[in-house]
Amino acid sequence: MSTPSPAAGRRRFPLVPTAVLLCGAVYCLLPVAWVLVASTKSGGELFSTFTFLPGSGFADNVADLSAYRDGVYWRWMANSAFYAGVGALLSTAVSALSGYALAVYRFRGKETVFNILLAGVLMPPVILAVPQYLLLAKADLTDSYLSVLLPAILSPYGVYLARIYASAAVPADVIEAGRMDGGGEWRIFRTLALPMMLPGLVTVFLFQFVAVWNNFLLPYIMLGDDEKFPVTLGLYTLLQQGATTPALYTLVISGALLAIIPLIALFLVIQRFWSLDLLSGAVKS
């Protein structure tokens, strides 16, 4: 009687993790599929047809959403783009400088600072929301764009990633060579270290952009003027009104679908830059 070869066992074994990954993918993508299908339905079709049966009202839903309160939805989208874009850029810059300093320089209390950053990574944002509100209220900055933008600038996780990536990607010999050539610390960072750290900083930017774009609690606490709302908070207000005006449910679903598109586009663009950075690094080495 023949026994199964080890090679055959190795070929069958990946089926288990593959099945687990497929189940995870279905779990994550099923809500997106529901939003995609539901956004095509009119108000009557939304509650009377099969869940995953497409409707015929997507164009009307988008038109109604754009017309709602003179296009306030697109104002919310612009606010989200401002909060996420500017916040992610500033956060990436702060993370790059801080991570590089923690990776390259030696100073007293360095490990203590890094351990505090690790504690910040583990700290749930909900715990910080109320203290941040009290601090900004003292500075009379609540209900302003800065009240949402300023807390997004410092990301402990971004600093942590930048520090780890700088330690691995920026050789000490390169820094010393730059100093021997007479370069100042800022010039060394800008011309030598920053290009080496760029793939990691792209990752930091993506994570922070998505985090700020999807942020709900901080704007909910900070903002009172709905003209300053991001899209997450704006759709929440529409959803609350849907309890008395069911026609708004189709606007909420269509708005949620449109709010996903910038994140998908950003990921596709940044994925291209990841590939270019990796190829560039291979050629230079």
Side-chain angles (χ1 to χ4, degrees), residues 157-240:
Y157 187 58
V159 176
Y160 169 77
L161 285 181
R163 195 255 191 182
I164 297 301
Y165 197 85
S167 299
V170 183
D173 294 342
V174 173
I175 304 298
E176 291 300 325
R179 290 169 179 165
M180 292 178 63
D181 288 341
E185 296 298 327
W186 171 247
R187 183 179 180 186
I188 292 172
F189 169 75
R190 182 171 53 84
T191 60
L192 297 178
L194 194 58
M196 297 178 183
M197 295 172 60
L198 193 57
L201 297 180
V202 168
T203 304
V204 172
F205 176 83
L206 176 62
F207 284 171
Q208 190 64 3
F209 187 96
V210 173
V212 177
W213 183 276
N214 292 329
N215 194 6
F216 168 78
L217 181 62
L218 186 65
Y220 180 75
I221 293 176
M222 294 291 183
L223 300 176
D225 182 5
D226 62 357
E227 292 289 326
K228 301 183 180 72
F229 283 0
V231 68
T232 50
L233 187 54
L235 290 177
Y236 172 76
T237 60
L238 280 182
L239 185 62
Q240 292 296 99

Side-chain angles (χ1 to χ4, degrees), residues 35-271:
V35 170
L36 182 62
V37 173
S39 64
T40 65
K41 298 183 179 184
S42 63
E45 294 172 335
L46 183 62
F47 298 103
S48 62
T49 59
F50 176 66
T51 302
F52 289 100
L53 181 66
S56 58
F58 179 73
D60 293 335
N61 292 340
V62 174
D64 291 341
L65 181 64
S66 299
Y68 178 76
R69 287 185 52 194
D70 297 325
V72 70
Y73 173 79
W74 299 110
R75 178 64 180 267
W76 294 338
M77 288 282 282
N79 291 338
S80 288
F82 172 74
Y83 295 138
V86 177
L89 282 174
L90 294 176
S91 179
T92 303
V94 171
S95 298
L97 290 167
S98 304
Y100 174 79
L102 289 170
V104 172
Y105 300 125
R106 296 181 180 179
F107 52 89
R108 181 175 297 178
K110 173 181 174 179
E111 292 303 320
T112 302
V113 172
F114 188 64
N115 290 334
I116 293 174
L117 281 173
L118 288 179
V121 171
L122 301 175
M123 188 75 66
V126 65
I127 296 178
L128 301 176
V130 173
Q132 287 170 345
Y133 173 81
L134 295 176
L135 288 173
L136 291 172
K138 286 288 186 181
D140 198 24
L141 290 176
T142 54
D143 199 21
S144 68
Y145 289 102
L146 289 178
S147 65
V148 178
L149 187 60
L150 290 178
I153 293 177
L154 180 59
S155 169
Y157 187 58
V159 176
Y160 169 77
L161 285 181
R163 195 255 191 182
I164 297 301
Y165 197 85
S167 299
V170 183
D173 294 342
V174 173
I175 304 298
E176 291 300 325
R179 290 169 179 165
M180 292 178 63
D181 288 341
E185 296 298 327
W186 171 247
R187 183 179 180 186
I188 292 172
F189 169 75
R190 182 171 53 84
T191 60
L192 297 178
L194 194 58
M196 297 178 183
M197 295 172 60
L198 193 57
L201 297 180
V202 168
T203 304
V204 172
F205 176 83
L206 176 62
F207 284 171
Q208 190 64 3
F209 187 96
V210 173
V212 177
W213 183 276
N214 292 329
N215 194 6
F216 168 78
L217 181 62
L218 186 65
Y220 180 75
I221 293 176
M222 294 291 183
L223 300 176
D225 182 5
D226 62 357
E227 292 289 326
K228 301 183 180 72
F229 283 0
V231 68
T232 50
L233 187 54
L235 290 177
Y236 172 76
T237 60
L238 280 182
L239 185 62
Q240 292 296 99
Q241 298 173 35
T244 56
T245 312
L248 293 178
Y249 283 133
T250 57
L251 303 189
V252 174
I253 296 171
S254 301
L257 176 65
L258 295 176
I260 299 173
I261 295 176
L263 297 181
I264 297 175
L266 177 67
F267 179 80
L268 294 176
V269 171
I270 285 185
Q271 190 178 39

